[in-house]
Amino acid sequence: MTAIRSVVLGCGSYLPQRVLTNAELAAKVDTSDEWIVQRTGIRQRHIAAEGEFTSHLAINAARAALAHAGVDAQSIDLIVLATSTPDQTFPATAVAVQNGLGINHGAAFDLQAVCSGFVFALASADNFLRTGAFKRALVIGAETFSRILDWNDRGTCVLFGDGAGAVVLEAQAQPGTPSDRGVLTTHLRSDGRHKGKLYVDGGPSSTQTVGHLRMEGREVFKHAVGMITDVIVDAFNATGATADSIDWFVPHQANKRIIDASAHKLHIAPQKVVLTVDLHGNTSAASIPLALAVAVNDGRVKKGDLVLFEAMGGGFTWGSALLRW
Ligand code: UT7
């Protein structure tokens, strides 16, 4: 038996040059490096320059992923871009990326699932590739959350940062066994009853403004670990993988305490956890591919490794993906 799998050919990322430290934030709002590090694990975050848009970050990450994969942009026939901070209300930022890469065939669209965006985008691209609708996809998470933060709200402005990450996926025939390379399973969930706990207080249809991010942090925290671990158990049940058999856990980087608690609950060994929240802050849909690129570039993630992604965010939305590198 053979199966079509979405195999990762390469990954890449991009961070804006400007680094904003906790100490700089403490000079602006009533907070401290100690509070931010203790409660979140964040030490710094990157902030896009004036005139630097989500599409620019995404194009840089996409180019890095294409170079890492060793494939030409012209071979891409699908771009799925996860973002909650598009350049404009429309057209999709994905078409700006497509144009920036000089591609004018295939399809490009944005996907909005806030911090879960990358997992949702990966699952969507995987489904398109497995049906044969497309052959080679760029899946990108790119955000400029600095543009939607209320810089006077210490409860949120210390948490988020800007950045982008991307992977190149290719539809390949694999033996159809658990040792296949590529995406092995994805699990997506949403529950709109929680839509008021993490949201932006503006939008084209409601206020005709962009708005600012608002969050009941403690409420989000309360649900996070349970939701994350639920969808990871789904991924384990679907594949027979276990906390012991996975090689790397690349979670959404919102808060080190959430990541530690989730890994602990699932009995995932701490040395398998890829952590970048200290350096990047919460970059929403970009956080998983940013962390992945770090672990691939420093040689941790190697061909054949079993890699687990999870994310949870506004909506609420949450999801997991398990793949073999
Ligand atoms: O990526 C999407 C998903 N998002 C998340 O996963 C975020 C989930 N939530 C969290 O990570 C945490 O809830 C936060 C990091 C946002 C907050 O941590 P917490 O331990 O839940 O703190 P808290 O909200 O319960 O606040 C504790 C105290 C409060 O003061 P009082 O009421 O105890 O006097 C806050 O006013 O800390 C205060 N506080 C701050 N103090 C210094 C809130 N923000 C700050 C700050 N600096 N930046």
Side-chain angles (χ1 to χ4, degrees):
M1 192 185 92
T2 61
I4 301 293
R5 300 281 192 195
S6 307
V7 174
V8 183
L9 300 182
C11 68
S13 65
Y14 176 79
L15 289 158
Q17 228 173 5
R18 162 96 168 102
V19 171
L20 179 64
T21 63
N22 291 350
E24 285 176 86
L25 281 166
K28 290 184 195 160
V29 289
D30 183 14
T31 189
S32 64
D33 177 56
E34 192 192 9
W35 190 95
I36 302 171
V37 172
Q38 264 184 13
R39 301 286 176 135
T40 71
I42 300 168
R43 293 181 184 276
Q44 61 170 52
R45 68 289 291 144
H46 290 249
I47 303 291
E50 204 183 321
E52 192 173 36
F53 301 161
T54 294
S55 63
H56 302 139
L57 274 49
I59 289 167
N60 284 326
R63 287 202 176 115
L66 289 165
H68 183 243
V71 302
D72 192 85
Q74 293 309 321
S75 68
I76 299 294
D77 56 1
L78 175 68
I79 299 174
V80 187
L81 172 65
T83 189
S84 299
T85 45
D87 292 5
Q88 294 160 277
T89 303
F90 76 78
T93 302
V95 300
V97 173
Q98 185 194 32
N99 186 48
L101 295 173
I103 305 169
N104 52 24
H105 59 266
F109 63 90
D110 286 1
L111 189 149
Q112 220 283 56
V114 206
C115 295
S116 310
F118 185 76
V119 172
F120 276 59
L122 186 79
S124 304
D126 175 47
N127 280 299
F128 278 121
L129 292 178
R130 285 190 297 107
T131 64
F134 298 99
K135 184 78 185 123
R136 221 178 242 180
L138 259 173
V139 179
I140 309 170
E143 303 278 18
T144 48
F145 261 50
S146 64
R147 305 270 155 74
I148 55 165
L149 294 176
D150 173 352
W151 288 99
N152 296 313
D153 175 13
R154 69 174 183 172
T156 53
C157 76
V158 303
L159 304 175
F160 296 89
D162 301 337
V167 297
V168 179
L169 294 180
E170 181 179 73
Q172 287 185 7
Q174 293 281 313
T177 70
S179 54
D180 283 1
R181 291 189 69 209
V183 177
L184 301 175
T185 194
T186 59
H187 301 269
L188 307 181
R189 306 246 200 111
S190 311
D191 185 347
R193 284 177 298 179
H194 302 287
K195 68 186 175 66
K197 293 180 178 131
L198 173 48
Y199 66 102
V200 168
D201 61 3
S205 178
S206 53
T207 59
Q208 298 82 57
T209 61
V210 172
H212 292 110
L213 183 148
R214 306 292 174 203
M215 177 166 75
E216 292 175 34
R218 216 174 302 187
E219 277 296 304
V220 180
F221 196 107
K222 210 172 74 186
H223 289 88
V225 176
M227 289 177 163
I228 289 164
T229 49
D230 270 4
V231 279
I232 291 175
V233 169
D234 286 349
F236 286 169
N237 288 340
T239 57
T242 63
D244 284 338
S245 71
I246 63 154
D247 295 291
W248 301 107
F249 179 39
V250 187
H252 169 50
Q253 311 279 321
N255 186 323
K256 185 174 184 300
R257 285 156 60 210
I258 295 174
I259 295 171
D260 288 348
S262 305
H264 184 256
K265 192 171 166 192
L266 290 159
H267 306 293
I268 296 172
Q271 62 271 22
K272 292 181 177 180
V273 182
V274 177
L275 262 183
T276 50
V277 69
D278 53 336
L279 300 175
H280 303 163
N282 181 348
T283 56
S284 186
S287 90
I288 291 174
L290 273 164
L292 178 68
V294 168
V296 169
N297 288 333
D298 68 19
R300 269 179 286 176
V301 175
K302 294 178 293 296
K303 193 171 172 182
D305 282 355
L306 206 48
V307 184
L308 175 66
F309 298 151
E310 64 76 9
M312 181 267 181
F316 293 149
T317 55
W318 65 109
S320 66
L322 185 71
L323 61 90
R324 191 174 302 282
W325 197 254

